Amino acid sequence: MIDQNSCGTLIKQIHDEMEKNANNDMRAHDLTMAQCNALLILNGTSEKQMALKELEHMLRVAQSTAAGIVMRLEQKGLVEGFGSPDDKRIKMVRITPQGIISCRQAEQEMKQAEKKLLSGLTITEQEIFLSLLKKVRDTL
């Protein structure tokens, strides 16, 4: 029997609820959380582009999954794929101006979701919680 108050179970429950809420919020923008994460990663680079292989690693997904995410974002006009000028075998992905707009909207919604998540904690508790989360992450 699984202990419903174990750290792993609680973290999984929090993750699942946040992902469900995020996907519901993103649905209004015709995006999934995975697509949104890809846009955030691309928008966070100085060139607003990167190799598909690098994006795959940053998303921590399989090549076929990353290719599917990018293909759907291309269909929506939020990213564009092209061959690397140095090596045409390397597929590059660039966020479009519309993708940047969608990314900004998503960032606002993510900030609101985090605010809701932390609303039951005092400022001091929020700082401690964040510090502990980072410490646990860094030990993995």
Side-chain angles (χ1 to χ4, degrees):
M1 186 163 145
I2 298 174
D3 180 4
Q4 292 299 309
N5 289 316
S6 71
C7 290
T9 300
L10 292 170
I11 290 169
K12 173 84 168 97
Q13 290 170 344
I14 291 167
H15 171 270
D16 290 350
E17 188 64 25
M18 289 188 70
E19 185 173 49
K20 180 181 79 173
N21 291 339
N23 278 321
N24 286 337
D25 291 343
M26 292 296 106
R27 192 172 294 120
H29 303 288
D30 192 30
L31 290 173
T32 65
M33 213 39 226
Q35 293 168 357
C36 182
N37 285 338
L39 291 175
L40 290 167
I41 290 169
L42 290 168
N43 196 46
T45 66
S46 58
E47 302 87 20
K48 307 290 186 210
Q49 67 185 30
M50 66 176 46
L52 177 59
K53 190 76 170 165
E54 186 179 355
L55 182 61
E56 167 193 327
H57 288 296
M58 295 189 75
L59 288 170
R60 295 186 173 134
V61 297
Q63 179 183 7
S64 58
T65 302
I69 290 168
V70 167
M71 180 188 72
R72 286 183 287 285
L73 288 170
E74 281 181 299
Q75 291 169 347
K76 295 172 187 183
L78 303 177
V79 301
E80 56 188 7
F82 60 98
S84 168
D86 301 327
D87 185 343
K88 295 293 183 195
R89 296 172 295 175
I90 298 173
K91 180 170 183 179
M92 300 293 293
V93 183
R94 176 186 306 125
I95 192 168
T96 65
Q98 183 59 44
I100 293 170
I101 291 168
S102 291
C103 193
R104 287 183 186 140
Q105 292 169 339
E107 285 177 320
Q108 290 302 312
E109 290 183 12
M110 290 169 67
K111 285 178 185 177
Q112 297 217 346
E114 185 161 323
K115 187 176 180 180
K116 180 181 177 185
L117 171 73
L118 300 174
S119 65
L121 304 175
T122 66
I123 297 296
T124 302
E125 289 171 334
Q126 290 177 25
E127 291 169 356
I128 292 168
F129 182 63
L130 184 60
S131 172
L132 292 172
L133 286 174
K134 288 177 182 177
K135 191 172 188 176
V136 169
R137 179 204 58 203
D138 292 346
T139 61
L140 300 176

